[in-house]
Amino acid sequence: MAVIRDVMPAFQLYQPSSIADAQKLLQQNGYDALVLAGGLDSMDWLKDRIRKPQAVVDLSGIAELKGIRETADGVEIGAMTTLTEVAQSPVIRQRYGLLSQAASLVASPQIRNQGTIGGNLSQDTRCWYYRAGWPCYRAGGNICYADTPVGRNREHAILHAERCVAVNPSDTAPACIALDARFVVMAPKGQQVIDAEDYFVGPDLDITRMNILRPGYLLTAIRIPLKWANAEFYFEKVRDRNVWDFPLMNVASAMRVSGETIQDMRIAVNAVAARPLRLKMVEESVRGKPRNAATGEAAGKLAVQGAVPLQFNAYKIPLMRNLVKRAITGVEEAAWAS
Ligand SMILES: Cc1cc2nc3c(=O)[nH]c(=O)nc-3n(C[C@H](O)[C@H](O)[C@H](O)COP(=O)(O)OP(=O)(O)OC[C@H]3O[C@@H](n4cnc5c(N)ncnc54)[C@H](O)[C@@H]3O)c2cc1C
Ligand code: SF4
C-alpha cells in the first residue's frame, strides 16, 4: 500500500488565465509538472503521495477552455467544460445524445459537477495495484500484480493486453470515438488535431501513458462533426452500482439506417483494454446488412475474437458479445427511452 505521511510534499501552484501561459508553465517545468483540471483523478495521486510534482498547473481559471460552441461543422467543447454541462447542454442533447448520455452516467452528480470532459478523457487507469503505488510494469517495475494466479483482476482487460492488463475507465471516450470526434491538442511545436481513437495509447506503444499527452502538452477542445448528428445512438454502461461507479464495460455506437438496412455505423467499447477500442471489423461487417438479431449475433461474435480472459474476468467475453449485439439491435435503447 501507499506510504501515507502526514503532509503532502510541497509544490508550486500556478493558476494561469490563458492557454499560452499554461503552455509556457508546462514547458518550463517538463516532467516536474502536473496538469490539474477537476482534480478527481489528479488529487488522488497527490493525496496518496505517489506523484510528487514540483509544479501543479491549475487550468480552472482559463476561460477559453470552457464552454460549448456551435461551429460550421458541428460543435466544439472546451476541455474544461464540466461533465454536467456536457450532459445538460441543449445542443449536445439534441444532436449528440450519445455523448450527453455517456456523460450523464459518469460516477455521481457531485463528480460530474466537478469533473471535466478533458479530464475524463485523459484520466489514468484505476488498477488498484498501480493506484496504490505498487511498483508494477506501468509504474516502471517489472511485474504485473493483477495478472498472477491470485491477482484481483475482475475489472481488467480481455483484449490487447501486453504485460499490463489495466483498462481505460472513461465513459465519454467511446462516445467521442463513435461520434468521430477530433481532439485539439496544444503541443510545444504547435496545435495538433487528432482523431479521437488516436488520442489513446495502449501498452504496446507506451506502458506508462494512457494517451498521447507528453510534458508540455494540453488538451484544449473536443470537436464533434455534423456527420453523425441525430444518428441512431446506443450507449450502455454495465457497472456494479448504479451510481458512483466506473464501468465494468460500456459500448457506444452511432448508426445510419435506411428502412431496415444498416447504411453505416461507428462503434466503440471501453474497459476491455488499456485504450477504448473502435470495432472496425464490426462496423465493416454490418454495413448493408439488415438490422436484426442475426446481424447483431454475428457482430458480437466477431467483436470478441482474440479475447483472452484472466482468472476472474471471463464474464467480460459474453458481456462484450451481448453489448455489441444490443448496440446493433437497439433493444436496450428502447428500454431506456420508455
Ligand atoms: C469515485 C469516482 C468515481 C468515478 N466514476 C467514473 C465513472 O463512472 N466513469 C468515468 O468515466 N469516470 C469516473 N470517474 C473519473 C472521473 O470522472 C474523472 O477522474 C474525472 O472526470 C477526471 O476529470 P477531472 O476534470 O477531475 O480531471 P483531473 O483529475 O484533474 O485530471 C485527470 C488527468 O488528466 C490530465 N488532464 C486533465 N485535463 C487535461 C487537459 N486539458 N490537458 C492535459 N491534461 C489534462 C491531468 O493531468 C490528469 O492526469 C470517477 C472518479 C471518482 C473519484
Ligand atoms: S494491470 Fe497494469 S497497472 Fe495493474 S498491476 Fe498490472 S502492470 Fe500495473
Side-chain angles (χ1 to χ4, degrees), residues 48-64:
D48 288 342
R49 285 69 159 164
I50 296 171
R51 292 207 179 143
K52 298 164 188 161
Q54 301 294 307
V56 170
V57 179
D58 173 6
L59 305 181
S60 63
I62 306 181
E64 53 192 317

Side-chain angles (χ1 to χ4, degrees), residues 138 160-164 201-207 209 274-275:
R138 188 170 285 278
H160 301 293
E162 192 175 299
R163 291 174 294 151
C164 175
V201 168
D204 52 337
L205 271 183
D206 188 341
I207 204 166
R209 291 187 291 154
R275 59 188 170 84

Side-chain angles (χ1 to χ4, degrees), residues 35-42 59 79 83 105-107 111 115-116 118-120 122-123 126 169-171 213 217-219 237 244-247:
V35 173
L36 181 69
L40 291 156
D41 185 3
S42 39
L59 305 181
L83 292 164
L105 291 175
V106 169
I111 288 172
T116 64
N120 190 262
S122 310
Q123 65 179 298
R126 287 275 159 179
S170 169
D171 281 313
L213 300 180
Y217 283 53
L218 261 188
L219 173 63
K237 168 177 180 173
W244 202 278
D245 217 350
F246 288 94

Side-chain angles (χ1 to χ4, degrees), residues 124-183:
D124 211 337
T125 183
R126 287 275 159 179
C127 172
W128 34 79
Y129 297 103
Y130 168 69
R131 300 291 302 209
W134 291 41
C136 66
Y137 283 129
R138 188 170 285 278
N142 60 2
I143 185 174
C144 172
Y145 298 97
D147 190 10
T148 65
V150 290
R152 309 313 293 175
N153 50 40
R154 180 174 165 269
E155 287 80 4
H156 287 67
I158 51 170
L159 282 160
H160 301 293
E162 192 175 299
R163 291 174 294 151
C164 175
V165 294
V167 295
N168 183 304
S170 169
D171 281 313
T172 58
C176 287
I177 292 174
L179 290 168
D180 203 4
R182 291 194 169 78
F183 294 176

Side-chain angles (χ1 to χ4, degrees), residues 17-21 61-67 69 76 78-80 220-221:
S17 56
S18 70
I19 293 175
D21 282 351
I62 306 181
E64 53 192 317
L65 288 177
K66 296 178 186 171
R69 303 167 279 276
E76 182 170 285
M80 286 297 289
T220 59

Side-chain angles (χ1 to χ4, degrees), residues 47-335:
K47 287 183 174 179
D48 288 342
R49 285 69 159 164
I50 296 171
R51 292 207 179 143
K52 298 164 188 161
Q54 301 294 307
V56 170
V57 179
D58 173 6
L59 305 181
S60 63
I62 306 181
E64 53 192 317
L65 288 177
K66 296 178 186 171
I68 298 166
R69 303 167 279 276
E70 289 192 54
T71 62
D73 183 40
V75 294
E76 182 170 285
I77 307 172
M80 286 297 289
T81 308
T82 67
L83 292 164
T84 298
E85 287 166 314
V86 173
Q88 295 180 354
S89 152
V91 65
I92 302 288
R93 285 174 87 143
Q94 192 193 348
R95 288 193 208 154
Y96 307 107
L98 184 69
L99 181 59
S100 159
Q101 194 181 351
S104 72
L105 291 175
V106 169
S108 63
Q110 295 90 335
I111 288 172
R112 296 193 292 273
N113 287 343
Q114 175 70 16
T116 64
I117 180 96
N120 190 262
L121 293 166
S122 310
Q123 65 179 298
D124 211 337
T125 183
R126 287 275 159 179
C127 172
W128 34 79
Y129 297 103
Y130 168 69
R131 300 291 302 209
W134 291 41
C136 66
Y137 283 129
R138 188 170 285 278
N142 60 2
I143 185 174
C144 172
Y145 298 97
D147 190 10
T148 65
V150 290
R152 309 313 293 175
N153 50 40
R154 180 174 165 269
E155 287 80 4
H156 287 67
I158 51 170
L159 282 160
H160 301 293
E162 192 175 299
R163 291 174 294 151
C164 175
V165 294
V167 295
N168 183 304
S170 169
D171 281 313
T172 58
C176 287
I177 292 174
L179 290 168
D180 203 4
R182 291 194 169 78
F183 294 176
V184 185
V185 172
M186 291 303 290
K189 285 189 179 162
Q191 179 180 288
Q192 301 174 357
V193 182
I194 295 149
D195 284 349
E197 63 193 288
D198 296 333
Y199 182 73
F200 302 96
V201 168
D204 52 337
L205 271 183
D206 188 341
I207 204 166
T208 63
R209 291 187 291 154
M210 303 291 285
N211 54 55
I212 59 155
L213 300 180
R214 289 179 179 281
Y217 283 53
L218 261 188
L219 173 63
T220 59
I222 292 92
R223 291 182 184 157
I224 308 184
L226 280 175
K227 183 170 181 214
W228 291 94
N230 304 111
E232 290 197 32
F233 297 130
Y234 189 90
F235 187 86
E236 189 174 352
K237 168 177 180 173
V238 175
R239 52 185 160 173
D240 285 324
R241 295 171 297 183
N242 269 339
V243 73
W244 202 278
D245 217 350
F246 288 94
L248 292 168
M249 196 179 294
N250 58 31
V251 65
S253 69
M255 198 192 274
R256 297 282 184 203
V257 182
S258 171
E260 276 308 298
T261 304
I262 300 169
Q263 299 293 316
D264 205 358
M265 182 186 201
R266 282 179 70 99
I267 180 167
V269 288
N270 208 4
V272 299
R275 59 188 170 84
L277 298 182
R278 180 177 168 202
L279 304 177
K280 283 189 188 167
M281 275 168 53
V282 167
E283 293 171 5
E284 281 158 23
S285 78
V286 302
R287 261 180 223 125
K289 297 265 171 60
R291 184 190 193 183
N292 59 25
T295 302
E297 197 86 50
K301 283 186 188 150
L302 194 60
V304 297
Q305 270 183 13
V308 180
L310 301 163
Q311 180 90 340
F312 298 109
N313 71 358
Y315 74 94
K316 282 199 173 189
I317 296 181
L319 180 59
M320 182 170 166
R321 199 172 58 226
N322 283 317
L323 286 183
V324 169
K325 178 182 173 186
R326 296 212 287 246
I328 286 159
T329 56
V331 171
E332 283 288 306
E333 188 174 48

